[in-house]
Amino acid sequence: MKRINVKLAVVLVDALMGCAMLQSQELWSFDRCVEWAQAHNISLQQSRLSEDMSAAELEAAQARWQPSLDFATTHGYTNAPWGNNNKNSYTGNYGLNAAWTVWDGGVRENNIKHGKIQTQIDRLSTDDLLRTIETDLLAAYMNILYARESMAIYEEAVKLSEAQADRARQLMEAGRLSKVDYAQLQSQYEQDRYSLVNARGTYDSRVMELKKLLEMGIDDNIELQSVEWDTADVVAPLPDIAESYRLAVLTDVKLKALELAEDNAAIDVDIANAGRMPDISLTAGVGTGYFAPGQSFGTQMKQSFNESVGLTFSIPILDNKKTKTAVAKANAQRLNAQLDIQARYNDLSRSVETWYIDTRAAQSRYTAGLEQEKAAALSDELVNEQFRLGLVNTVELLTAHNALLEARHALLQAKYMAMLGHKMIGFYRTAQINMP
């Protein structure tokens, strides 16, 4: 019996160790979230498909330099019931035809240039989408960490308010505290429990937002690794804002894509102007035919054999202002592309400046919050001791309790806002997010 118990204990220990290892393996780092999104995000996969389609369009544009070649055969049967000759006849024609555009005003060359640039734009668009996903993941990741720490604050508050309610009950039973005061402390305990429930709901909502970014289902579970930042990390000095803006411009893939889009718009102007240019095309072919009744098939095929070659020179004269309209639209698109570039410069400038303002404000709130939290904790400790001695009333106790909760949450919020700002400023400078 003892051997069985020992074996059972060993099995249970192994199982617990396995569960612990499994739980440790299930912890998600920020880098793992990014890797998962790269492989599973639907929008990212669709953007990569756009890259493939652009590559196919480029291949089609390059193929327009090649001549076309086709084989055609036509067969007909005629019935003339009231004619003097034979009532029925059969005809068959066979031809091999080739065509090649010698000159089209430079449209083919420009289409190839346009296609090459478009493939680069689509590649940059995918990179930009990935950057957007990374920043969205960063915000979701930080929100989860904040919600988890906020939940821990409420858990501690519940324990404290429960102890206070128990102490109040003891004082009430001893006749040293009124029922009204006890009811107030019991109400505070229930309020803290309610706040804890809300905090857990907020945490679950933040996890759901992260799962949405990762394209995870309802049955998928995710637990994030803990990230620790000390005061030095939070209040670390920010780099020079002008340098950060300059680096943001250099590393911004959306700006690069817009600059390439302007190049494509210039090519579109050249393509539109090609409507005024002449077209030159060359055609050639060989063919033969057969009809029945008539001579033998071989004789007719030989005698009907023919070769042809042709040159077509087309000069546009009037096209109902199609070319003029196309050129005007292309020029407007080019100007619009230039405005998009300027707007992107302005967006980058505002974004960088906004993050600096928000981060500095959060750092200031955090520095002030440290002292406020210390003062609130000391005050709460003193008021609790006085309450145990019966020297203060419940109103003062509740006031100190709520002030401590508010100070801790304000400090926590400032901490995560400052760290989010640090990460975003670093992202604008290096196009990377470094998360420990």
Side-chain angles (χ1 to χ4, degrees), residues 88-377:
N88 303 318
S89 63
Y90 166 81
T91 58
N93 296 297
Y94 306 88
L96 191 63
N97 306 301
W100 183 54
T101 301
V102 181
W103 172 251
D104 61 356
V107 173
R108 285 176 302 187
E109 297 94 327
N110 287 320
N111 278 334
I112 292 174
K113 293 178 182 178
H114 191 286
K116 290 180 178 179
I117 294 176
Q118 188 60 47
T119 56
Q120 298 178 43
I121 292 174
D122 289 338
R123 192 176 302 115
L124 290 173
S125 296
T126 301
D127 294 340
D128 180 62
L129 179 58
L130 179 58
R131 284 165 59 96
T132 301
I133 292 173
E134 287 181 1
T135 54
D136 290 344
L137 286 174
L138 176 63
Y141 201 93
M142 294 289 236
N143 283 334
I144 291 175
L145 296 179
Y146 169 78
R148 190 160 64 187
E149 286 197 43
S150 178
M151 194 164 53
I153 291 176
Y154 279 116
E155 288 173 351
E156 184 179 350
V158 167
K159 293 179 181 179
L160 179 59
S161 58
E162 182 180 16
Q164 290 174 343
D166 289 341
R167 176 58 178 165
R169 179 180 54 79
Q170 294 173 4
L171 293 175
M172 181 189 67
E173 292 174 351
R176 297 173 56 188
L177 192 70
S178 67
K179 292 183 178 180
V180 175
D181 291 336
Y182 168 70
Q184 288 179 338
L185 293 176
Q186 184 66 27
S187 176
Q188 180 64 52
Y189 168 61
E190 297 297 337
Q191 178 62 41
D192 288 342
R193 288 183 59 193
Y194 180 76
S195 298
L196 177 58
V197 171
N198 284 339
R200 287 172 177 167
T202 301
Y203 174 79
D204 292 338
S205 297
R206 298 294 179 260
V207 172
M208 182 187 68
E209 292 172 1
L210 179 60
K211 289 169 60 177
K212 181 180 178 181
L213 289 172
L214 298 177
E215 305 292 351
M216 287 184 169
I218 192 173
D219 296 328
D220 295 318
N221 296 318
I222 182 170
E223 183 73 21
L224 300 186
Q225 286 183 352
S226 297
V227 181
E228 298 294 336
W229 290 297
D230 55 23
T231 300
D233 295 324
V234 178
V235 299
L238 301 179
D240 181 66
I241 186 172
E243 182 187 21
S244 294
Y245 172 68
R246 181 180 62 83
L247 293 174
V249 170
L250 292 176
T251 59
D252 188 63
V253 294
K254 181 177 289 186
L255 183 59
K256 295 177 182 177
L258 291 174
E259 291 172 347
L260 290 176
E262 183 188 7
D263 294 339
N264 257 357
I267 294 175
D268 288 336
V269 174
D270 295 336
I271 293 175
N273 279 316
R276 301 188 177 99
M277 305 296 289
D279 288 341
I280 304 175
S281 59
L282 180 66
T283 59
V286 293
T288 186
Y290 166 77
F291 67 91
Q295 294 179 320
S296 65
F297 177 80
T299 301
Q300 290 192 55
M301 291 290 287
K302 179 179 179 181
Q303 292 179 351
S304 299
F305 180 80
N306 62 86
E307 299 171 332
S308 64
V309 63
L311 181 67
T312 302
F313 186 81
S314 174
I315 302 176
I317 299 176
L318 295 174
D319 62 355
N320 299 322
K321 295 186 176 181
K322 292 180 180 179
T323 300
K324 182 178 180 181
T325 302
V327 171
K329 288 182 177 180
N331 281 317
Q333 290 176 353
R334 184 177 183 181
L335 291 175
N336 189 59
Q338 294 172 352
L339 292 175
D340 287 339
I341 292 174
Q342 186 59 48
R344 184 57 184 171
Y345 275 108
N346 295 336
D347 288 342
L348 284 173
S349 176
R350 285 192 296 268
S351 297
V352 171
E353 187 176 8
T354 299
W355 278 113
Y356 267 80
I357 293 173
D358 292 344
T359 305
R360 286 168 178 162
Q363 288 177 322
S364 299
R365 290 197 303 270
Y366 181 81
T367 302
L370 285 173
E371 299 302 323
Q372 185 178 4
E373 195 269 342
K374 289 179 182 179

